[in-house]
């Protein structure tokens, strides 16, 4: 099996975005009798091979939007479609299935198990999917190669640098051949050079695998590597702004 975009068996039509969020409002109970509006009528859409940056101050709702897009939280109102399928009103089992098969999630801190090698962290994900051990190992090796870690498969997290751990994390997110990649501040714990190579890797994967990628970032330096930037303020999302330089030769690898 190859780590590439899946032939789509979904209702998404040709011009439809892979990830589409429409009019999403998310309210949390505020601890007394009221509600805190974390997302206020948020809309965005991301097509295959597109990478969008999501910026905005701390507490503005960025992670909440990722959690809604990841089907981890159901919005109070509004619609989330993945590959053309409405996911907000699905039963839990179907939602879990979609999350496992269609969504790759990457968070700031690679949540790796200390006792497992890089390869074992990835094989474990495939075990949950019911993939045979042999196929799982071969997919894991392929994913490690894709992120530039083919020689590090037998190392445990403490034998890897911060950047390498984040690459394992990225490889793990690719194991299900997702169509959507949701990334929350992937470079917050890294220095500038390592951060840049992680963002460039995400850019390349987005292009090569035709992913719809949404990346929360503090680092506005890397916004020009993405196609579109949106800004969150107090739960309200700005209109999308195309980054002029995204396709410029100076920024290609
Ligand atoms: P960001 O990622 O931009 O820092 P978040 O999405 O984490 O912002 O948070 C947006 C708002 O929602 C904040 O005011 C935060 O305190 C609140 N919030 C986040 N998660 C919860 C929760 N589980 N319960 C209640 N309030 C929450
Ligand atoms: Mg956050």
């Amino acid at each position: 099996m190859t780590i590439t975009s899946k032939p789509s068996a979904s209702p998404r039509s040709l011009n439809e975005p892979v990830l589409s969020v429409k009019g999403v409002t998310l309210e949390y109970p505020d601890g007394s009798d009221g509600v805190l509006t974390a997302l206020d009528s948020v809309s965005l859409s991301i097509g295959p091979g597109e990478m969008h940056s999501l910026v905005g101050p701390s507490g503005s709702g960025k992670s909440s939007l990722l959690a809604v897009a990841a089907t981890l939280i159901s919005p109070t109102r509004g619609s989330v479609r993945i590959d053309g399928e409405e996911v907000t009103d699905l039963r839990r089992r179907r939602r879990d299935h979609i999350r496992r098969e269609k969504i790759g999630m990457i968070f700031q801190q690679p949540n790796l198990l200390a006792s497992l090698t890089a390869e074992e962290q990835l094989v474990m994900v495939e075990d949950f999917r019911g993939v045979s051990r042999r196929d799982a190992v071969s997919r894991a090796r392929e994913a490690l190669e894709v992120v530039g870690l083919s020689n590090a498969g037998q190392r445990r997290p403490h034998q890897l640098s911060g950047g390498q751990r984040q690459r394992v994390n990225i490889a793990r997110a690719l194991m299900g051949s997702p169509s959507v990649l949701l990334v929350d501040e992937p470079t917050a714990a890294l220095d500038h050079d390592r951060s840049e190579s992680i963002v460039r890797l995400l850019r390349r994967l987005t292009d090569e695998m035709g992913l719809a990628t949404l990346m929360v970032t503090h680092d506005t330096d890397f916004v020009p590597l993405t196609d579109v930037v949106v800004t969150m303020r107090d739960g309200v999302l700005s209109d999308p702004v195309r980054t002029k330089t995204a396709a410029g030769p100076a920024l290609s690898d």
Side-chain angles (χ1 to χ4, degrees):
M1 258 187 142
T2 47
I3 310 273
T4 51
S5 45
K6 268 186 265 207
S8 173
S10 68
R12 184 170 71 88
S13 63
L14 261 182
N15 294 317
E16 199 173 350
V18 179
L19 172 64
S20 162
V21 172
K22 281 207 184 105
V24 159
T25 292
L26 175 66
E27 294 168 347
Y28 292 117
D30 71 353
S32 35
D33 279 343
V35 292
L36 183 157
T37 304
L39 299 173
D40 187 355
S41 302
V42 166
S43 299
L44 65 80
S45 66
I46 308 183
E50 274 182 18
M51 184 170 183
H52 292 209
S53 298
L54 172 55
V55 301
S58 171
S60 59
K62 304 181 300 295
S63 295
S64 296
L65 176 56
L66 256 54
V68 168
T71 77
L72 291 168
I73 304 181
S74 285
T76 313
R77 286 183 289 284
S79 149
V80 177
R81 295 173 78 87
I82 292 174
D83 272 344
E85 182 172 2
E86 177 63 51
V87 296
T88 48
D89 49 10
L90 290 177
R91 286 177 178 279
R92 189 173 164 170
R93 272 184 62 172
R94 177 72 190 151
R95 258 200 305 168
D96 289 347
H97 177 81
I98 287 183
R99 195 179 314 120
R100 219 170 30 235
E101 299 299 323
K102 301 209 166 191
I103 300 170
M105 284 176 277
I106 297 162
F107 299 111
Q108 177 177 338
Q109 294 293 346
N111 192 8
L112 303 176
L113 292 166
S115 62
L116 297 187
T117 66
E119 188 177 298
E120 287 164 348
Q121 319 265 353
L122 307 192
V123 167
M124 192 176 71
V125 179
E126 292 299 82
D127 278 347
F128 283 123
R129 285 202 179 84
V131 172
S132 78
R133 178 54 58 127
R134 216 175 115 180
D135 286 350
V137 168
S138 100
R139 285 183 66 89
R141 289 186 181 157
E142 197 182 336
L144 287 170
E145 191 182 333
V146 166
V147 301
L149 282 183
S150 25
N151 295 323
Q154 301 314 312
R155 294 198 213 151
R156 294 188 163 72
H158 73 275
Q159 299 166 313
L160 298 166
S161 70
Q164 288 175 323
R165 282 198 289 272
Q166 189 57 291
R167 283 168 191 268
V168 175
N169 201 23
I170 293 169
R172 185 171 54 183
L174 299 177
M175 289 297 283
S177 302
S179 39
V180 175
L181 202 56
L182 301 168
V183 193
D184 203 347
E185 303 197 23
T187 64
L190 302 176
D191 64 32
H192 185 276
D193 286 357
R194 287 200 168 121
S195 297
E196 180 170 343
S197 76
I198 290 292
V199 178
R200 284 186 185 278
L201 171 62
L202 293 168
R203 173 79 254 181
R204 177 166 66 77
L205 296 170
T206 300
D207 294 339
E208 289 177 358
M209 300 172 70
L211 300 168
T213 300
L214 179 59
M215 176 178 73
V216 174
T217 181
H218 260 107
D219 236 320
T220 47
D221 279 9
F222 304 132
V223 166
L225 288 169
T226 67
D227 305 301
V228 167
V229 58
V230 284
T231 305
M232 187 78 85
R233 281 210 174 78
D234 291 332
V236 176
L237 195 65
S238 74
D239 288 337
V241 177
R242 288 246 150 222
T243 61
K244 295 185 205 89
T245 46
L251 286 156
S252 59
D253 263 320

